[in-house]
Amino acid sequence: MNAKTMLLTDPISGRSVNLPVRDSTIGPAAVDVSGLYKEFGLFTYDPGFVATASCSSSITYIDGEAGILRYRGYPIEDLAAKASFLEVCYLLLYGELPTETVLTKFERSITHHGLINEALKNFFNGFHHNAHPMAMLIGVVGSLSAFYHDTLDLSTPEQRELAAHRVIAKLPTIAAAAYKHTRGEPFIYPRYDMRYVENFLHMMFATPCEQYRVSRLAEKAMNLLFILHADHEQNASTSTVRLAASSGANPYACIAAGITSLWGKAHGGANEEVLNMLEHIGSVEHIETYINKAKDKDDPFRLMGFGHRVYKHYDPRAKILREVCHRVLNELADTNNPLFELALRLEEIALQDEYFVERKLYPNVDFYSGIIYRALGIPVSMFTAMFAIARSVGWMTHWLEMMEDPEQRIGRPRQVYLGHTLRTYQPIGKRQ
Ligand code: SDX
């Protein structure tokens, strides 16, 4: 790469400095401002990191203006239409699409790590039955480091790889166990003769009382949903995983931190909020009222599933999910699904409204996903857990990439201080 620089001049002192520009293979380059403080005693200021690259990465590329999403260079549309979720997991983790032999070996590793230590099952008894599944996921995933000590030496590539396989393999088992706990039903063990998504749906809906056959429609739809949610560059939860990992925290604790961040309504928690919002709106007649509430600065209501920090065009995942919604509902003979009809009308009205057009607010990945989950029998409280299962591969891939990054150091942002300068301590009797 050619060594480009950017000249920066301090208007007060008149002094200038050439800041190095870090080139990219595609997408924006970045001005390396790490020397700014040393040269001028100045920080950069970018709350929410709107224009700040926190790292270099080769995993996922997003072009928000063009609505492009690629995993390791492969368009999301191709992967969604042609790949299995574990094939995409391998691609993200290792950077290449696997051959049949390699994929079979990878699938076998993930399948055989699906069990959780029997003692971990006791953790669920500590949760109230109406505990939110995400609260249980955070607690149990964070506890994995208390059991799997053979993956805590971060300097050993084999241990790091095993940690990644364990997290991807165990998230579905833990999520299904959390669901079973809310229903007071016995846990269902993962099966070695089932495919990843089939296994998950079996653990969710089977009971010891009878044979349960997973529907191929549900398995295919969930496989696609997991692929669409697998990774998304430096989003809030992935950045949380990276920041936690930068201090040398163990991978399970870092993933628990990522699950915590994902739970927020502005992030992965939005899929659950979209369903709640659609049910709250209730009918097409009320759409106008809620569009006006979303536009009212004094009203905290936001159109959930709309808007995105990066996509200023249609989220390519939302486009795919709208089609999948149609297909799944048709195959389930649920052609007049009121929630889907409402979502389509809401999208149509919002995208003609100046407020949304001006701010480039389009439906995002969360807008349609919940309608599909609901149609497949997934309860609303489990929607964000679905997101966490899929995103576990993205989190682990970024974790592995950062563990091997020679530039990696502890993340320690600075601030613009606006507090008191200096004050003298007053004895309590002298205070007003
Ligand atoms: C995900 O980062 C990722 O990649 C995330 C994700 C992933 O795969 O990891 O894609 C998954 O989290 C998708 C987003 C799910 N969240 C929601 O659907 C919640 C609703 N959306 C918003 O809260 C919001 O759009 C965000 C959080 C998604 C983005 O917030 P930004 O980039 O900080 O945008 P902003 O809040 O500065 O909004 C810009 C303007 C503001 O109006 P003005 O002050 O300019 O007048 O747009 C308005 C906002 O008020 N706005 C909305 C809105 N989203 C933004 N107004 C009404 N409804 C909305 N949904």
Side-chain angles (χ1 to χ4, degrees):
M1 287 183 212
N2 55 335
K4 275 191 218 153
T5 60
M6 185 172 173
L7 182 68
L8 195 72
T9 303
D10 176 0
I12 302 161
S13 66
R15 282 182 50 237
S16 299
V17 65
N18 271 312
L19 294 172
V21 171
R22 181 180 284 255
D23 251 340
S24 61
T25 47
I26 183 172
V31 180
D32 181 341
V33 295
S34 51
L36 202 58
Y37 179 58
K38 205 166 62 213
E39 287 293 334
F40 291 132
L42 286 172
F43 293 147
T44 57
Y45 184 69
D46 183 14
F49 310 115
V50 177
T52 295
S54 60
C55 62
S56 300
S57 179
S58 313
I59 301 165
T60 290
Y61 172 67
I62 301 173
D63 178 334
E65 300 306 327
I68 287 172
L69 170 58
R70 296 178 191 148
Y71 294 162
R72 300 289 190 182
Y74 292 92
I76 192 66
E77 295 79 4
D78 284 358
L79 296 171
K82 299 166 188 162
S84 72
F85 177 61
L86 283 192
E87 199 178 348
V88 169
C89 287
Y90 185 91
L91 170 66
L92 286 168
L93 286 171
Y94 299 99
E96 298 299 336
L97 284 170
T99 60
E100 195 144 4
T101 316
V102 167
L103 180 58
T104 305
K105 187 166 171 262
F106 178 70
E107 286 168 341
R108 183 177 160 71
S109 169
I110 299 298
T111 303
H112 284 73
H113 281 298
L115 270 176
I116 54 174
N117 186 299
E118 280 292 292
L120 265 170
K121 286 167 57 177
N122 302 327
F123 282 65
F124 291 93
N125 297 327
F127 291 106
H128 198 282
H129 276 304
N130 65 7
H132 194 289
M134 287 295 277
M136 292 190 256
L137 233 58
I138 293 164
V140 177
V141 170
S143 312
L144 292 174
S145 60
F147 291 83
Y148 301 105
H149 301 134
D150 59 348
T151 46
L152 302 182
D153 173 4
L154 308 187
S155 64
T156 314
E158 295 75 17
Q159 293 204 17
R160 298 200 297 260
E161 181 183 31
L162 179 53
H165 285 213
R166 279 218 170 100
V167 165
I168 295 164
K170 295 181 192 308
L171 252 287
T173 310
I174 294 167
Y179 173 60
K180 285 303 196 189
H181 180 69
T182 63
R183 291 178 57 86
E185 287 180 1
F187 297 159
I188 298 297
Y189 285 101
R191 298 272 302 264
Y192 290 166
D193 60 348
M194 286 191 178
R195 295 176 295 273
Y196 185 85
V197 174
E198 181 190 18
N199 224 337
F200 168 63
L201 293 170
H202 185 260
M203 289 187 281
M204 278 281 288
F205 298 119
T207 67
C209 316
E210 59 183 356
Q211 276 291 75
Y212 177 82
R213 271 182 49 71
V214 171
S215 101
R216 269 306 273 155
L217 167 71
E219 183 186 357
K220 275 171 64 185
M222 287 301 288
N223 177 73
L224 191 148
L225 278 153
F226 281 0
I227 289 172
L228 296 179
H229 287 82
D231 191 50
H232 214 239
E233 199 211 73
Q234 305 307 325
N235 58 85
S237 54
T238 300
S239 298
T240 301
V241 170
R242 280 180 172 261
L243 193 56
S246 74
S247 72
N250 75 70
Y252 308 110
C254 296
I255 296 304
I259 297 171
T260 303
S261 171
L262 184 74
W263 196 6
K265 290 179 181 172
H267 190 14
N271 57 14
E272 180 175 340
E273 292 306 313
V274 168
L275 248 289
N276 296 336
M277 174 186 76
L278 291 173
E279 292 194 327
H280 210 71
I281 294 175
S283 70
V284 176
E285 295 71 54
H286 301 146
I287 287 179
E288 212 56 44
T289 309
Y290 282 87
I291 292 266
N292 292 332
K293 279 171 65 68
K295 290 156 57 174
D296 177 356
K297 288 295 156 222
D298 299 326
D299 190 324
F301 175 79
R302 283 202 158 181
L303 215 51
M304 300 315 281
F306 256 76
H308 198 278
R309 170 61 58 74
V310 177
Y311 289 122
K312 299 309 169 192
H313 196 282
Y314 220 102
D315 182 333
R317 301 167 297 176
K319 210 179 275 183
I320 296 169
L321 285 174
R322 189 175 52 186
E323 290 321 307
V324 172
C325 233
H326 259 300
R327 211 165 59 232
V328 167
L329 295 175
N330 283 340
E331 294 202 25
L332 292 172
D334 185 1
T335 42
N336 300 318
N337 180 292
L339 286 179
F340 186 47
E341 296 305 318
L342 188 58
L344 289 171
R345 276 296 287 143
L346 181 57
E347 174 190 338
E348 189 188 331
I349 294 170
L351 294 187
Q352 287 162 13
D353 185 295
E354 192 43 41
Y355 173 93
F356 293 88
V357 173
E358 203 179 274
R359 292 167 179 77
K360 299 184 180 179
L361 302 175
Y362 289 86
N364 59 51
V365 68
D366 293 309
F367 191 63
Y368 288 107
S369 55
I371 299 171
I372 303 170
Y373 286 140
R374 170 97 173 235
L376 298 176
I378 307 278
V380 177
S381 64
M382 284 292 290
F383 286 5
T384 310
M386 299 297 106
F387 200 145
I389 293 171
R391 190 53 58 89
S392 64
V393 64
W395 291 330
M396 287 317 290
T397 304
H398 283 271
W399 180 75
L400 289 172
E401 182 178 69
M402 122 179 232
M403 287 295 122
E404 288 141 22
D405 181 350
E407 290 188 313
Q408 135 64 20
R409 52 202 303 207
I410 191 165
R412 204 290 185 202
R414 299 305 304 273
Q415 62 181 14
V416 173
Y417 177 69
L418 298 176
H420 291 282
T421 50
L422 176 65
R423 296 198 282 177
T424 309
Y425 180 86
Q426 294 298 325
I428 194 157
K430 291 196 169 174
R431 295 171 206 162
Q432 277 81 13

